[in-house]
Amino acid sequence: MSKILSIALNPAIDISSDADEVRHTHKTRTHNQRQHAGGGGINVARVIVELGGHCELLYLSGGATGELLETMLRPLGIRQHVMKIHDPVRVAYNVHELSTNLEYRFVPEGPLVSDAELAPVFDILEESDADYVVASGSLPRGVPADTYLRMAEIAARRNQRFVLDTSGEALRETLARCHVFLVKPSLGELEGLVGRKLDHESVGPAAQEVIRRGAAQYIAVTLGADGAVLVGADSITRVPAIKVAVQSAVGAGDSFVAGMTWSLAEGKDIVEAFRLGMAAGAAAVMTSGTELCRRRDILDLHAANRD
């Protein structure tokens, strides 16, 4: 089995609750509170462990919330590289309104991170023997937009497969100046990369434009309820969404990336891994709040939707 390193530069304590009704000004009484260690790279690691895989985790941690985050992660039983920072880890909050079945998500921008605090991250990457390096999530304040680019360059130099799931300037900067193994944009993020509106028929050819620029070997474009498209230089694979009862959208994209990377690390081909990623993303929306996905759900959905 190949080794995986997951990176979380902007982790979070994810809290979720239910409320009968959310109204402005009035107090919103909540119940059924749950809390998990979260943020892109941490969610990826959690799902890989849930699938029975092994994954190292590199993340930034500061303040009292950072101490809580570290405590929450210990039961995962994985090797952790904890990079200490001054500012506290952010706390994100998700409320499910029972009367409407709507979900309200409050996501802070994260701590302010200095160059000196970020520097040890690159030292760890230079020494890592991982086969897959997954960079998932937003960048915290103070971290330059070319940070994932620098990581991708290190991975390329060390013949590691770099998997990227981010957005905005960090995504554009990386793909403009480096080649990654796999990137997972949404439809809107792909539109930003090619500079025009796209429909579902034009997604594949547009992604191939990005590939021909030398930005990536594979692009997996997620389309929400319309499924996803896996694009290579000479191939376009469209898979419809797996129909499930939706409880929460939290962590679906991270679960997709985790499932796909875990499957690749297990030696599966890229299309099989893509389908496993689809099953993991669908399994994530079946659970409430920040619970993410369950192994049994992933494997059952994958088996039922192989054709």
Side-chain angles (χ1 to χ4, degrees):
M1 183 179 65
S2 299
K3 297 180 180 179
I4 304 170
L5 172 66
S6 184
I7 302 169
L9 294 184
N10 203 10
I13 303 294
D14 281 340
I15 299 175
S16 60
S17 294
D18 297 330
D20 294 328
E21 184 180 6
V22 178
R23 293 187 296 163
H24 70 84
T25 309
H26 297 270
K27 290 180 179 179
T28 298
R29 302 290 182 181
T30 63
H31 56 278
N32 192 26
Q33 179 171 305
R34 293 136 290 170
Q35 49 274 324
H36 294 91
I42 286 178
N43 287 342
V44 168
R46 283 173 56 195
V47 173
I48 289 172
V49 170
E50 174 68 19
L51 281 163
H54 298 281
C55 178
E56 292 186 25
L57 176 61
L58 190 165
Y59 62 98
L60 304 181
S61 176
T65 47
E67 293 178 9
L68 176 59
L69 179 71
E70 293 167 41
T71 300
M72 297 170 76
L73 286 169
R74 286 192 192 106
L76 287 182
I78 62 177
R79 184 182 178 191
Q80 299 180 28
H81 305 277
V82 184
M83 305 290 104
K84 293 292 189 177
I85 60 175
H86 175 270
D87 280 10
V89 165
R90 60 185 176 151
V91 177
Y93 197 57
N94 176 80
V95 178
H96 176 217
E97 186 179 48
L98 299 175
S99 60
T100 63
N101 204 33
L102 295 176
E103 194 172 49
Y104 296 86
R105 301 169 65 181
F106 305 90
V107 184
E109 57 188 351
L112 180 64
V113 178
S114 68
D115 290 342
E117 290 172 326
L118 184 65
V121 170
F122 299 106
D123 295 335
I124 295 293
L125 290 175
E126 291 284 4
E127 299 171 359
S128 172
D129 63 350
D131 301 288
Y132 289 87
V133 177
V134 184
S136 179
S138 60
L139 296 176
R141 292 179 297 143
V143 172
D146 67 352
T147 297
Y148 287 146
L149 167 64
R150 292 177 60 188
M151 292 181 180
E153 290 173 338
I154 293 171
R157 189 169 67 249
R158 298 175 60 83
N159 295 315
Q160 298 165 319
R161 290 180 165 183
F162 191 78
V163 179
L164 180 64
D165 182 16
T166 191
S167 59
E169 191 177 356
L171 175 64
R172 293 190 296 270
E173 186 82 6
T174 305
L175 297 188
R177 298 168 55 189
C178 192
H179 176 87
V180 305
F181 172 70
L182 170 67
V183 62
K184 189 206 73 65
S186 64
L187 175 60
E189 289 159 356
L190 180 62
E191 289 175 338
L193 290 173
V194 299
R196 64 180 185 276
K197 284 287 185 181
L198 301 170
D199 57 31
H200 291 179
E201 291 304 314
S202 59
V203 163
Q208 285 182 322
E209 291 178 26
V210 179
I211 290 172
R212 283 194 292 269
R213 297 176 195 168
Q217 185 169 343
Y218 295 104
I219 299 178
V221 187
T222 50
L223 304 172
D226 294 310
V229 181
L230 174 67
V231 182
D234 302 309
S235 62
I236 299 174
T237 303
R238 302 177 186 273
V239 176
I242 300 173
K243 303 301 182 183
V244 296
V246 177
Q247 296 294 320
S248 171
V250 175
D254 300 328
S255 298
F256 179 102
V257 171
M260 197 168 177
T261 304
W262 172 80
S263 187
L264 288 166
E266 290 285 312
K268 305 301 183 182
D269 65 46
I270 190 70
V271 174
E272 177 73 5
F274 176 63
R275 291 183 177 276
L276 194 284
M278 292 283 292
V285 305
M286 293 170 60
T287 62
S288 60
T290 56
E291 186 181 344
L292 297 182
C293 47
R294 295 181 288 254
R295 173 184 170 85
R296 185 72 264 156
D297 291 337
I298 297 171
L299 298 182
D300 287 349
L301 290 172
H302 182 52
N305 292 273
R306 294 180 70 93
D307 298 329

